[in-house]
Amino acid sequence: QKEVEQNSGPLSVPEGAIASLNCTYSDRGSQSFFWYRQYSGKSPELIMSIYSNGDKEDGRFTAQLNKASQYVSLLIRDSQPSDSATYLCAVNRLGTGGFKTIFGAGTRLFVKA
Amino acid sequence: EAEVAQSPRYKITEKSQAVAFWCDPISGHATLYWYRQILGQGPELLVQFQDESVVDDSQLPKDRFSAERLKGVDSTLKIQPAELGDSAMYLCASSPSRARDAFFGQGTRLTVV
């Protein structure tokens, strides 16, 4: 079982729709959770971080965390073609030398104009 | 806006040769990460520094890879000898602390021929 699991996609949504991206993690002791966006050939760019159960909103993005279910999601409202990218879920958990950040394989999102 | 600086952006090397990558984190960031990302996969943590100390190198192939952060600021990752399977994007990231958001540099695309 991978530590951080994401559906690889591709997830295809029409422009203006809500895109829903999901992620599960295996370590119950995980403390911090992040969503990164990565365009093809580029490095990951931090979109959202969330540290406690519930929802966190930033513009068109909402991150949701449910630690009991070990589940974190990202909602993108009013999706735009420029949102087409791979979205990486990352989890910060305790390792041998302290906390470290582990990434999922990413979900590819296509927003159709 | 503060950024993580990496060089070179691209590197082509022959197998069995030595190659080195350099990273300058955001000023004041104590935590520095080196990740390797193979096409279609998520970033894999190779080594994590807290100031000048290595706190996690459990996934670093130590027979050929080495990393240092001598003064707790910039860092170098070296591969010697390079193998064909080392072709990947090498990403450096920094964070104010181990449990906080990590910010990535532009990465170094390595091709081993």
Side-chain angles (χ1 to χ4, degrees):
Chain A
Q1 180 189 8
K2 293 182 181 178
E3 289 197 60
V4 181
E5 299 245 27
Q6 297 181 255
N7 188 321
S8 63
L11 173 65
S12 184
V13 300
E15 183 175 0
I18 296 175
S20 178
L21 304 162
N22 304 315
C23 171
T24 58
Y25 59 95
S26 60
D27 191 329
R28 286 194 170 274
S30 299
Q31 298 286 317
S32 311
F33 307 85
F34 310 97
W35 283 99
Y36 287 81
R37 177 176 62 199
Q38 187 173 29
Y39 293 113
S40 181
K42 304 296 186 182
S43 63
E45 171 192 10
L46 181 68
I47 299 175
M48 295 279 290
S49 55
I50 186 166
Y51 303 97
S52 55
N53 279 331
D55 295 0
K56 179 181 178 182
E57 185 175 322
D58 184 359
R60 295 187 296 114
F61 299 97
T62 298
Q64 299 174 318
L65 174 62
N66 184 327
K67 288 187 177 182
S69 300
Q70 294 175 241
Y71 176 90
V72 58
S73 66
L74 179 71
L75 300 177
I76 307 175
R77 290 181 300 280
D78 189 24
S79 296
Q80 301 297 309
S82 59
D83 295 326
S84 298
T86 296
Y87 288 81
L88 299 165
C89 173
V91 172
N92 190 270
R93 62 126 174 112
L94 192 61
T96 54
F99 285 97
K100 64 180 183 181
T101 302
I102 306 298
F103 282 81
T107 298
R108 287 181 297 151
L109 173 66
F110 290 109
V111 180
K112 299 174 292 184
Chain B
E1 183 176 312
E3 293 183 343
V4 177
Q6 285 190 251
S7 67
R9 289 287 308 279
Y10 305 93
K11 180 71 177 178
I12 300 174
T13 191
E14 295 183 346
K15 64 180 180 179
S16 79
Q17 295 299 302
V19 63
F21 314 127
W22 176 81
C23 172
D24 190 11
I26 294 172
S27 178
H29 280 195
T31 306
L32 185 148
Y33 307 87
W34 283 102
Y35 287 88
R36 175 173 61 187
Q37 187 175 25
I38 295 169
L39 195 62
Q41 299 182 18
E44 173 195 16
L45 181 65
L46 293 176
V47 62
Q48 178 177 336
F49 290 90
Q50 186 67 20
D51 299 309
E52 68 277 6
S53 300
V54 173
V55 295
D56 192 314
D57 62 357
S58 56
Q59 300 303 311
L60 188 71
K62 297 181 189 61
D63 57 335
R64 298 186 300 108
F65 286 64
S66 63
E68 60 183 15
R69 192 184 184 197
L70 291 176
K71 297 183 179 178
V73 181
D74 58 337
S75 175
T76 302
L77 178 70
K78 296 179 181 177
I79 308 174
Q80 182 173 17
E83 297 180 353
L84 295 177
D86 296 331
S87 294
M89 174 83 88
Y90 289 82
L91 296 161
C92 178
S94 71
S95 174
S97 69
R98 279 178 263 186
R100 291 284 308 279
D101 313 7
F103 298 90
F104 284 85
Q106 291 184 306
T108 296
R109 170 73 66 186
L110 173 67
T111 302
V112 182
V113 297

